[in-house]
Amino acid sequence: MPHAVSLISTLAAGFGLALVFGFIAARCKLPALIGYLVAGIVIGPATPGFVADAEIAAQLAEIGVMLLMFGVGLHFSLADLLAVRKVALPGAVVQMAVATALGCAAAMLWGWSFGAGLVFGLALSVASTVVLLKALESRGRLDSGDGRIAIGWLVVEDLAMVVVLVVLPPLAGALGGQVAPTTQSLWWTLGRTVLEVGAFVALMLVVGRRLFPWVLWQVTKTGSRELFTLAVIVAAVSIAYGSSLLFGVSFALGAFFAGMVLRESQFSHRAAEETLPLRDAFAVLFFVSVGMLFDPTVLVEHPLRVLEVVLIIVFGKSVAAAALVLSFGYPLRTALTVSAGLGQIGEFSFILAALGVALGLLPVEGQSLIVAGALISIALNPLFFELSAPLGRLLAGVTRWAGLRTLASDPLAELPMSTEAKFLSRQVVLVGYGRVGRSIASALRQAGVPFVVADENREAVEQLRAGGTPAVFGNATDPAVLIQAHIAHAHMLVIATPETIEVRRMAEIARTLNPAIRIAVRSHNVDEARLLEAEGTARVFVGETELANAMVEHVLGAVAAPRAAPSRA
């Protein structure tokens, strides 16, 4: 053809082979993303045959990261982020320090310099945005308490890596690398970076929260679906690019805050639905681009080093994260969810590795090891998520048997002895204190109906107790949590969590302890709601159905009401 078609050929080969190998992986009962990674290896430069344009694939993958983080921001409020700051901020910093120390120690044992080891360890310390979010989405845990902690942890890691990428070039000379002479001091560079990031966050939260929802509303009034979709995509991509250009933050972080500010709009759910196909498609290209970076010869030349890298990523980081989450008083399930989600590396690792090689700090072999570790850890990540539940049950049984940690050892896991009697009998037990749970709690409080909240967010439980509302910390699938909420004497159980996959377990426990209890459940899925109601588990409320019923009731009432006679002058 007379013109270059590298973009078209990359898209065609990437999507086509991802479909083929993804289908094969799914038929073999493996995660489809393994097929996407294999597709990238096939069209990468390390294998014979057609070689796709790696630079174009990387940019397309970056768009996928932007759209994915934008979608997360649409479901993640500033309040959600602040609610997990006590565990996410110190947890992420300490976990990154542990992983960096492990990676640095391994590199220095191989004979590398301290500077090379530091860059190598930092690259192993930060998890992949795409892998974590896809794992949480596929398991319906994106809006859960565990999911919010993991996302908050990820945001802190992204912010830390922004600082690392900025201060590494001025430090390269002192660490043994090559750096162009500069008149700016390290403290000036660091201070400027902090000010730029702070200015970006302030601008998005103060100006963006008012401006972007207003713009989206103006576009919506045109009645054009194409313009609405275009406006959403422009907001995600342009804000991400502009934030990177003007403030030096990552594309992913910029897109995340763009989603957070657009969440204030009443059309946030529609925006999430409109971008879903694009997010899924470009997320596939991310995994394909990772596969293209992989050089299989590193497995033959340095198999033991690859094994050490994988162990640091999968076990070193995971154990450190789990221990930190447990140390903050969160349950074992939360610790395992967070540790499984962080047991891999991705896009920031590649960026840091490329910068390290360019500065003469990291040997090319180190970049190959990082890519190999990323590929293997990403492929293993779904397996560790699947094993987290049975492992949690096993460890919980062992700790209970050994008496190492019981539910009663946590003061937030049981109601205080001073709890008023009205909250212990004929009360409503409300499971989940998210957006829906808060609305229900507010209505019950105004109606004077006593209720007890059970939630997995420690900060939420602490705030409720400080405000005089009885609350129990823990997962309601654990019988001890509902027992502490006095479910045996309750009038009703209201399950307001988005994790409807666990509803049956909660309902079974409640009916075992209180056969006469009435149960109400929220759901996002019509088919799931019909199944639950057919089983007699509970009265299920589906968002779209309830909205339609309320509108129909209003319309019929308005039509049936007699019209007021027109006034005559």
Side-chain angles (χ1 to χ4, degrees):
M1 299 181 68
H3 54 278
V5 291
S6 56
L7 172 61
I8 297 175
S9 61
T10 299
L11 284 172
F15 281 134
L17 289 177
L19 173 63
V20 172
F21 288 110
F23 177 78
I24 294 173
R27 295 286 293 179
C28 295
K29 307 299 181 182
L30 296 172
L33 68 86
I34 294 179
Y36 306 154
L37 293 169
V38 173
I41 296 174
V42 171
I43 62 175
T47 54
F50 172 77
V51 177
D53 191 317
E55 184 176 348
I56 288 179
Q59 292 188 38
L60 293 173
E62 197 70 65
I63 296 175
V65 174
M66 293 182 201
L67 294 176
L68 195 65
M69 287 300 288
F70 177 76
V72 173
L74 286 172
H75 295 91
F76 201 87
S77 66
L78 180 62
D80 293 332
L81 190 59
L82 294 176
V84 299
R85 69 187 185 281
K86 291 183 180 179
V87 59
L89 179 58
V93 171
V94 175
Q95 175 256 304
M96 290 182 69
V98 171
T100 300
L102 291 174
C104 186
M108 294 183 73
L109 287 175
W110 299 337
W112 296 4
S113 66
F114 172 76
L118 181 62
V119 174
F120 186 72
L122 285 169
L124 302 185
S125 69
V126 58
S128 166
T129 299
V130 179
V131 176
L132 174 63
L133 297 181
K134 294 296 287 185
L136 292 173
E137 277 185 334
S138 64
R139 289 157 181 81
R141 302 189 63 81
L142 194 58
D143 292 326
S144 67
D146 301 347
R148 292 192 186 100
I149 292 174
I151 294 171
W153 198 297
L154 188 72
V155 170
V156 174
E157 286 191 348
D158 283 356
L159 286 170
M161 290 306 295
V162 169
V163 176
V164 169
L165 292 173
V166 172
V167 302
L168 188 60
L171 284 174
L175 294 173
Q178 302 171 357
V179 61
T182 178
T183 58
Q184 294 182 352
S185 68
L186 173 63
W187 291 110
W188 165 259
T189 303
L190 182 60
R192 187 187 63 187
T193 302
V194 173
L195 288 175
E196 287 178 343
V197 173
F200 165 70
V201 174
L203 182 66
M204 294 300 292
L205 296 181
V206 176
V207 179
R209 292 177 73 177
R210 293 172 173 82
L211 176 62
F212 297 123
W214 178 83
V215 171
L216 196 61
W217 168 243
Q218 299 304 313
V219 173
T220 303
K221 290 195 296 185
T222 65
S224 172
R225 180 176 179 179
E226 294 82 3
L227 282 178
F228 180 86
T229 304
L230 182 60
V232 173
I233 295 174
V234 166
V237 177
S238 63
I239 293 175
Y241 176 74
S243 62
S244 176
L245 186 66
L246 299 176
F247 300 100
V249 303
S250 67
F251 292 138
L253 194 64
F256 174 77
F257 275 96
M260 282 185 61
V261 298
L262 283 180
R263 183 181 181 274
E264 303 299 322
S265 168
Q266 58 182 314
F267 301 102
S268 59
H269 292 290
R270 180 184 171 189
E273 292 177 359
E274 295 287 350
T275 57
L276 182 60
L278 281 174
R279 296 205 310 266
D280 288 342
F282 280 100
V284 169
L285 287 178
F286 166 78
F287 294 108
V288 173
S289 68
V290 172
M292 291 178 63
L293 295 173
F294 181 62
D295 184 0
T297 59
V298 72
L299 298 176
V300 179
E301 297 174 354
H302 304 287
L304 293 180
R305 293 187 180 185
V306 172
L307 179 60
E308 289 181 50
V309 171
V310 173
L311 290 177
I312 291 172
I313 297 170
V314 174
F315 292 105
K317 286 176 59 179
S318 298
V319 172
L324 288 165
V325 174
L326 289 173
S327 69
F328 283 98
Y330 283 85
L332 185 61
R333 170 186 150 175
T334 301
L336 291 175
T337 299
V338 173
S339 63
L342 299 175
Q344 37 75 24
I345 60 174
E347 54 274 10
F348 260 123
S349 304
F350 308 142
I351 296 171
L352 182 59
L355 179 61
V357 172
L359 294 173
L361 285 171
L362 185 69
V364 177
E365 175 194 335
Q367 188 175 26
S368 299
L369 289 172
I370 289 169
V371 174
L375 184 70
I376 297 173
S377 64
I378 289 173
L380 291 176
N381 196 248
L383 175 62
F384 283 98
F385 260 106
E386 294 297 329
L387 292 176
S388 62
L391 179 61
R393 290 191 292 268
L394 175 63
L395 292 177
V398 171
T399 53
R400 281 195 295 266
W401 174 78
L404 296 177
R405 182 179 180 181
T406 63
L407 186 67
S409 65
D410 189 342
L412 294 181
E414 57 183 9
L415 290 180
M417 297 294 293
S418 59
T419 303
E420 297 181 45
K422 67 178 182 180
F423 297 108
L424 307 179
S425 179
R426 304 297 296 170
Q427 84 282 17
V428 172
V429 176
L430 175 60
V431 177
Y433 198 67
R435 292 188 296 272
V436 175
R438 289 190 185 97
S439 298
I440 296 173
S442 178
L444 292 175
R445 196 176 289 114
Q446 291 178 5
V449 177
F451 63 95
V452 177
V453 176
D455 195 81
E456 293 183 85
N457 188 318
R458 289 186 67 86
E459 285 75 15
V461 172
E462 290 173 348
Q463 291 173 4
L464 284 166
R465 290 194 178 190
T469 300
V472 177
F473 168 67
N475 187 335
T477 57
D478 186 341
V481 174
L482 291 180
I483 290 173
Q484 287 295 327
H486 287 249
I487 195 70
H489 306 290
H491 176 72
M492 191 170 192
L493 172 66
V494 179
I495 304 175
T497 66
E499 302 171 51
T500 49
I501 191 173
E502 298 179 337
V503 165
R504 290 181 179 82
R505 173 64 176 161
M506 297 178 190
E508 288 174 3
I509 296 171
R511 293 204 185 280
T512 300
L513 298 172
N514 185 349
I517 195 168
R518 300 170 65 184
I519 303 175
V521 181
R522 67 172 284 196
S523 177
H524 297 292
N525 189 296
V526 176
D527 295 332
E528 181 182 64
R530 291 173 179 168
L531 180 61
L532 290 171
E533 290 189 330
E535 294 176 350
T537 302
R539 169 73 168 89
V540 185
F541 295 85
V542 181
E544 291 80 0
T545 303
E546 298 306 318
L547 176 61
N549 291 339
M551 292 182 68
V552 168
E553 182 180 352
H554 172 75
V555 170
L556 293 179
V559 171
R563 293 185 178 181
S567 60
R568 296 182 179 179

